[in-house]
Amino acid sequence: VAQHRLWKEIDHLVKQEVSMARLGVGECGTGWQLFAEDGEMKMYRREEEIDGMVVDPLKAVHVVKGITGHELCHYFFSPQYRYDWETTLETMQVVETIADDTLIFQQTHKRIWPASQRDCLFWSHLRRLPNDQDTEGPDMWTVVNHSTEHTDYPANTGKCVRIFLTVCLLCQTQVDPPKDGAPISRDNITCKITYCSVVNPGGWAPASVLRAVYKREYPKFLKRFTSYVINQTKNKSIMF
Ligand SMILES: CCCc1ccc(-c2ccc(S(=O)(=O)CCO)cc2)cc1[C@H]1C[C@H]1c1ccccn1
């Protein structure tokens, strides 16, 4: 397979992010504090600052019925749906198509008063993770987003402060086939989701304001995104 310029970085980061995502919040050492819970969704964060800036790592786990990990990752990765579910977006564009599973995005997010507006530039990679022999069931799927540079989009030249992010959406589908041998329907599938993100705000922003925004925005984002995918797929054939 022809390897592109970011392949080594992407391959390394995907392996690293997936292995971290698969660790429960217990194993990741202490420090994870549960800060939001809604039904099956549990959100944890660690309070971390770099040069006085809040960079709290976030880890969310969720279980959703009726959709597959492939479907979730498809709607998370594909640009054409993003404005439907990402409420903090002001603008989004695909800066470069590196491969059909690897894009570079530039996004500006709505300003969080009193901080200045932020933008981000990141590669986004969609990958199926084949199960090893002994794990039965469908493969896992992941999307990893990681900040990158691009000559046409230098940081901090306009009104926006460039943030730095690493995000991993890791999904595992579980199929419970109907007893009577009927074909598998959406009632027989469940998706276990792990969403990890570290966002460095790239410049000073009041810790209290950022933590309040994360506390409000992240639970809203994951609930809205999963509901969106359920709604988009409910009358479509299952994409395993
Ligand atoms: C000062 C930082 C502002 C800020 C910049 C960026 C982001 C952000 C960017 C990307 C992704 S994603 O998961 O890769 C999906 C693609 O958009 C999630 C979040 C979040 C915030 C903050 C606004 C908060 C927030 C939190 C959760 C969801 C959305 N927004």
Side-chain angles (χ1 to χ4, degrees), residues 1-12 14 77 96-104 123-127 148:
V1 124
Q3 299 197 344
H4 51 69
R5 74 175 198 276
L6 288 171
W7 179 254
K8 266 177 73 68
E9 175 183 332
I10 289 173
D11 200 42
H12 173 74
V14 166
F77 173 77
E96 193 177 336
T97 299
I98 295 196
D100 60 3
D101 61 6
T102 307
L103 303 173
I104 296 187
W123 53 254
S124 185
H125 179 67
L126 166 69
R127 184 178 294 189
T148 190

Side-chain angles (χ1 to χ4, degrees), residues 58 76 82 85-89 92 105 107-110 112 115-120 122 124 144-146 163 165-168 195-197 199-203 205 210 213-222:
L58 178 122
F76 187 74
R82 194 154 298 178
W85 55 265
E86 175 69 287
T87 52
T88 69
L89 264 195
M92 176 273 297
F105 288 92
Q107 302 187 162
T108 60
H109 288 256
K110 289 172 183 154
I112 303 163
S116 38
Q117 188 171 26
R118 260 62 186 179
D119 79 333
C120 47
F122 56 92
S124 185
V144 176
N145 296 342
H146 182 69
I163 69 158
L165 62 84
T166 303
V167 165
C168 176
Y195 173 88
C196 301
S197 100
V199 173
N200 181 321
L210 271 188
V213 166
Y214 290 165
K215 195 171 168 72
R216 186 183 71 237
E217 289 296 335
Y218 273 115
K220 195 167 89 179
F221 147 73
L222 197 54

Side-chain angles (χ1 to χ4, degrees), residues 22 67-70 128-132 135-141 171-177 184 188-191 238-240:
R22 296 176 87 155
I67 50 179
T68 66
H70 186 184
R128 174 197 290 268
L129 304 160
N131 276 331
D132 32 46
T135 346
E136 87 280 350
D139 295 331
M140 294 180 84
W141 281 83
C171 301
Q172 171 142 41
T173 310
Q174 188 179 311
V175 180
D176 305 301
I184 290 170
N188 312 124
I189 55 176
T190 305
C191 186
I238 303 171
M239 188 162 71
F240 285 104

